[in-house]
Amino acid sequence: MKRPACQSFYATAASPMTRRSMLRVGGLGLLGMTMPKLLQAEEAGKARALRQIAPKARRAIFLFQFGGPSQIDMFDMKPDAPKEYRSPHSPIRTSCPDLEITERLPRLAKHMDKFTVIRSMTHTMNNHNSAAYYALSGHAPPTDDQRLRDSLDLYPAYGSVIDHLAPNRGEIPTFVSYPHVIADGSRTPAQHASFLGKKHDPLFIPRDPNADDFRLPELSLPDGLSTDRLMARRGLQGIVDEQARLMEISAEARGFDRYYERALAMLASTRVRDAFDIAKEPAWIRERYGRTTYGQSCLLARRLAEAGVKFTTVYFSPDIGGRRMDSGGWDTHGFDDTRMYPIVENYHLPITDQTLPALIEDLHQRGMLEDTLVLWMGEFGRTPKINKNASRDHWPKCYSVLLAGGGVKGGFVYGKSDKTASEPAENPVTPEDLAATLYYLLGIDPTAEIHDLQGRPLMISSGEPVLDVVA
């Protein structure tokens, strides 16, 4: 079955200001096009481009499962495959008649009528950092190298692109991420704004929302310090920054001025403080999500979506995992015994089966699911064939992702894998296609351009939206 082509009504996004256009401002002034008018024209062009696609989702929650969950043990089970491929678990029926999932996710099974499952995700990056960068940005890394390091040459996070093209107005941040910085040896790229500049970085919260003392001191003024005094300090800070800027080649990319201004706006914002005050949630709601870091992080994501945050990234774990039994990501081939990767049995699946359905049900009951896109995915899947240690290794050639709400069909399966979940058999979907779909659902033209540090135009996605999953 041929995937439908991207519709042709996309408008060309207005290009942001380049150095060349800045130099032309003087000449344009002779024609009545002053700098303010030029900037207004640019913003109007952006708005016109964005209006060409009616948004299905007002906001998105990205649940990133670092380490790589197994497709064949969760959402693309092959009970008729040879024994060395089959999951040790059995499939069960779900609220979607056409979809079976693992018996270890019985609560989630009751909500699969609200999900689209893409079973044909595919790429070629076998290393965690390379594959995770691909998943977090929608752009292939320059090389499949576990030593891939964060760099201003690499693409920004989804939320930073959204903050650049379609930012919130006012004190509510566009992009929030927490509670971890993920890394496998070195910090994984695409967790921030990269060459778009620090002003488009996420509001990053390196704290555990499950902690009894969870609070955000950055959002509370110190005793005896008024907002007026803080503004005065801001003026002094500006002088210091100006001196530092003279010594910084990458000052334009850093955007500290706007970063500080936004921080000050949040300091004075009751709405922002209230959004992060998870202690206001009833105890039964908190228990429903699970009193774990991930569970409370997902509850906080719902609160932020309610407050107007446009893109929230929740990282399941700071690392890929390993030999631990009660923490870490989805990497499961480090065990050297005959058990079926016990961290999945004892930790990953129980948490997933409590928290993910709680989030979906909560959004649905509050009338938010229709315009809140939830994306659940890792950087790749696991090898279909079980290895000698009763586990599975990295496998980017075919894996599954989940989407719910935000204009996505419910109870829908897109794509098909072969008989062992080794390769896509129908409708392969690349990370570029998934990125284009994400932007499309949020009302952003996937062909819109951003500019790197040299002023070169770069499309935010080279993929095509998977329109078959759109309701």
Side-chain angles (χ1 to χ4, degrees):
M1 176 180 176
K2 186 177 179 181
R3 191 175 71 216
C6 180
Q7 294 188 11
S8 60
F9 59 75
Y10 293 143
T12 301
S15 298
M17 291 288 291
T18 64
R19 291 183 177 85
R20 180 175 298 176
S21 60
M22 293 287 285
L23 292 173
R24 292 175 57 210
V25 170
L28 289 171
L30 298 176
L31 302 175
M33 183 64 81
T34 62
M35 173 63 82
K37 289 183 179 179
L38 188 62
L39 292 173
Q40 289 171 6
E42 179 194 353
E43 291 301 317
K46 278 186 185 179
R48 284 195 299 272
L50 294 175
R51 281 199 298 268
Q52 300 304 308
I53 303 173
K56 305 285 185 178
R58 294 173 56 195
R59 58 236 158 181
I61 297 173
F62 185 14
L63 307 177
F64 188 64
Q65 313 298 304
F66 197 29
S70 169
Q71 72 282 8
I72 198 169
D73 291 309
M74 296 180 72
F75 302 113
D76 192 11
M77 307 188 77
K78 303 292 183 180
D80 298 326
K83 182 179 180 180
E84 61 270 27
Y85 292 88
R86 289 198 305 269
S87 173
H89 308 142
S90 298
I92 57 172
R93 300 293 296 273
T94 72
S95 55
C96 172
D98 299 325
L99 177 60
E100 293 183 337
I101 65 175
T102 175
E103 62 184 345
R104 297 301 300 272
L105 298 173
R107 295 182 188 178
L108 186 58
K110 298 176 182 178
H111 296 278
M112 291 309 295
D113 60 316
K114 301 177 182 68
F115 284 92
T116 278
V117 181
I118 298 178
R119 285 178 167 171
S120 53
M121 287 297 302
T122 183
H123 63 81
T124 60
M125 301 296 149
N126 285 291
N127 288 294
H128 288 287
N129 264 8
S130 299
Y133 163 71
Y134 207 172
L136 295 172
S137 70
H139 293 273
T143 180
D144 184 15
D145 189 345
Q146 192 52 41
R147 297 168 297 179
L148 181 71
R149 293 183 178 276
D150 203 0
S151 165
L152 291 179
D153 294 327
L154 298 177
Y155 278 84
Y158 291 127
S160 294
V161 173
I162 293 165
D163 187 50
H164 177 68
L165 293 176
N168 279 342
R169 303 299 179 187
E171 70 272 20
I172 298 297
T174 303
F175 179 23
V176 178
S177 69
Y178 57 88
H180 310 295
V181 172
I182 64 171
D184 184 29
S186 60
R187 172 175 169 156
T188 304
Q191 297 179 65
H192 60 92
S194 187
F195 55 75
L196 287 181
K198 188 173 179 61
K199 63 184 178 181
H200 298 298
D201 273 354
L203 172 61
F204 173 64
I205 312 301
R207 291 176 174 82
D208 182 358
N210 190 43
D212 291 337
D213 60 350
F214 175 73
R215 65 187 185 92
L216 302 178
E218 292 88 351
L219 303 182
S220 302
L221 292 174
D223 292 340
L225 181 61
S226 67
T227 302
D228 289 341
R229 287 182 62 198
L230 193 64
M231 290 298 184
R233 288 189 182 186
R234 172 67 184 93
L236 179 61
Q237 183 68 58
I239 296 172
V240 175
D241 289 345
E242 189 61 34
Q243 297 301 315
R245 186 176 292 109
L246 297 176
M247 298 182 289
E248 285 287 349
I249 296 175
S250 61
E252 182 180 343
R254 297 181 63 171
F256 272 123
D257 282 344
R258 185 178 167 198
Y259 186 80
Y260 286 138
E261 295 298 339
R262 293 172 71 184
L264 287 172
M266 287 184 286
L267 279 167
S269 170
T270 301
R271 288 180 62 200
V272 174
R273 292 197 299 270
D274 286 348
F276 281 99
D277 191 358
I278 198 171
K280 289 185 176 180
E281 292 290 332
W284 66 270
I285 283 282
R286 301 195 71 176
E287 293 295 333
R288 180 175 167 189
Y289 275 81
R291 291 309 301 257
T292 62
T293 299
Y294 182 64
Q296 297 304 293
S297 293
C298 288
L299 174 55
L300 182 58
R302 189 268 288 161
R303 290 184 61 85
L304 296 177
E306 240 175 350
V309 173
K310 198 169 274 189
F311 198 90
T312 301
T313 299
V314 176
Y315 297 107
F316 183 87
S317 171
D319 54 50
I320 61 172
R323 294 170 181 259
R324 300 187 301 276
M325 297 279 287
D326 57 357
S327 65
W330 293 80
D331 202 39
T332 58
H333 58 181
F335 293 94
D336 53 4
D337 53 35
T338 58
R339 294 171 295 171
M340 187 66 178
Y341 33 90
I343 189 174
V344 176
E345 301 274 356
N346 300 325
Y347 182 69
H348 295 148
L349 293 179
I351 286 180
T352 300
D353 196 43
Q354 178 167 11
T355 298
L356 185 54
L359 174 63
I360 297 301
E361 186 175 14
D362 198 6
L363 290 170
H364 178 68
Q365 290 175 345
R366 292 170 182 269
M368 296 174 59
L369 186 59
E370 184 176 343
D371 57 9
T372 303
L373 176 66
V374 178
L375 173 60
W376 184 100
M377 66 178 295
E379 67 269 34
F380 44 50
R382 314 303 300 182
T383 48
K385 191 172 183 179
I386 299 172
N387 64 27
K388 64 180 181 180
N389 294 323
S391 185
R392 304 187 192 274
D393 299 308
H394 304 174
W395 194 255
K397 294 182 180 180
C398 188
Y399 60 106
S400 299
V401 304
L402 304 182
L403 301 97
V408 169
K409 292 177 181 176
F412 185 67
V413 177
Y414 183 82
K416 181 180 179 181
S417 63
D418 62 17
K419 62 182 181 181
T420 58
S422 300
E423 305 274 354
E426 295 179 4
N427 299 324
V429 177
T430 66
E432 289 90 345
D433 297 330
L434 187 63
T437 306
L438 170 66
Y439 290 129
Y440 176 90
L441 289 167
L442 288 167
I444 297 175
D445 181 355
T447 68
E449 291 179 350
I450 54 179
H451 288 66
D452 67 10
L453 293 178
Q454 286 72 48
R456 296 173 298 189
L458 303 170
M459 283 200 305
I460 61 173
S461 175
S462 60
E464 296 181 351
V466 185
L467 298 179
D468 277 357
V469 308
V470 179

